[in-house]
Amino acid sequence: MSIRILKTGSVATLLLAGAFSMAAWAVHSAQDGPAAPAPGDDIVILDFKPGMDDLMTMIVQPRHIKMYYAAQEQNWLLARFQLNELRAAFMRVAQTIPEFGIFPVEPSLEAAIYPALDEMDAAILTNDSAEFERAYVTLTASCNACHEAMGFSFLVMKVPEGDVPADYIDQDFRSQGAQ
Ligand code: HEC
């Protein structure tokens, strides 16, 4: 089975390839039911390079949310884990996108968010909800400061309200271990 990796040189080519394979799949499945890949069929792996917006949505925003709900349950172990995930996510952002427009990303993160992450770490170690809340407000303001500095002042993060979002109802934010 050969694997073909398409480079993102031409978006049009990719879209065309996608439309074509969807059409081929529709015809095939209409005739024969669900299609199983035959030996020798090409698997097309698109060369997906996530953008800043993708990384924010996929690896940054969820940790910002989950850390909050862990702390609401005073689950400081999970809150600290999520904070480390958030820190690692920002490092991966810098590795994946060294420059965003005119902005070098690593120095921007150092200026905009790393101090607030350190503050958050100290706050979580106190196991104190009020300390956490204060640091979370600072952290969230830092997210917004960077959005504003990079020309996205309409992207406004806030302290979550209400119950755990539906996307995360399968995660137990109270539990300290498997039950
Ligand atoms: C280094 C600067 C920087 C920091 C720090 C930063 N962001 Fe962002 N964020 C951006 C930029 C720039 C965009 C817009 C990217 C684009 O349009 O490709 C963005 C976009 C977003 C989006 C919108 C994505 C979408 O497609 O809807 C969310 C959500 C987001 N950031 C969450 C956060 C959170 C939460 C934090 C803090 C924990 C944070 N960001 C910290 C620069 C930053």
Side-chain angles (χ1 to χ4, degrees):
M1 183 179 296
S2 64
I3 296 179
R4 192 151 36 98
I5 298 180
L6 298 182
K7 294 284 173 205
T8 46
S10 162
V11 175
T13 311
L14 293 183
L15 290 177
L16 210 61
F20 178 74
S21 56
M22 278 304 286
W25 176 82
V27 169
H28 187 83
S29 52
Q31 288 168 348
D32 311 323
D41 268 8
D42 277 357
I43 292 177
V44 177
I45 299 174
L46 299 181
D47 188 13
F48 174 61
K49 176 131 173 30
M52 184 73 111
D53 45 357
D54 300 321
L55 292 175
M56 288 285 158
T57 304
M58 293 189 303
I59 65 175
V60 171
Q61 189 176 16
R63 276 58 183 257
H64 183 249
I65 295 171
K66 289 183 181 196
M67 182 169 62
Y68 180 81
Y69 285 99
Q72 292 316 102
E73 301 295 346
Q74 315 235 328
N75 188 346
W76 304 117
L77 187 62
L78 181 58
R80 190 130 196 265
F81 174 84
Q82 295 297 346
L83 174 64
N84 287 335
E85 294 291 288
L86 186 58
R87 199 188 284 275
F90 279 123
M91 285 163 64
R92 284 197 289 276
V93 168
Q95 282 163 359
T96 312
I97 306 176
E99 273 161 27
F100 182 79
I102 56 165
F103 301 102
V105 172
E106 179 59 29
S108 303
L109 289 170
E110 261 168 40
I113 205 85
Y114 289 163
L117 294 177
D118 292 344
E119 221 179 283
M120 189 80 245
D121 202 21
I124 289 175
L125 285 174
T126 65
N127 292 5
D128 182 305
S129 295
E131 286 293 308
F132 175 87
E133 203 77 28
R134 201 183 42 73
Y136 196 90
V137 167
T138 305
L139 174 66
T140 306
S142 305
C143 306
N144 290 332
C146 199
H147 290 170
E148 204 174 334
M150 292 193 166
F152 294 86
S153 51
F154 59 93
L155 293 176
V156 182
M157 308 315 296
K158 66 183 180 76
V159 177
E161 292 164 42
D163 295 337
V164 175
D167 278 355
Y168 305 128
I169 51 172
D170 61 347
Q171 186 163 4
D172 190 346
F173 289 90
R174 289 162 304 177
S175 174
Q176 302 281 335
Q179 295 172 352

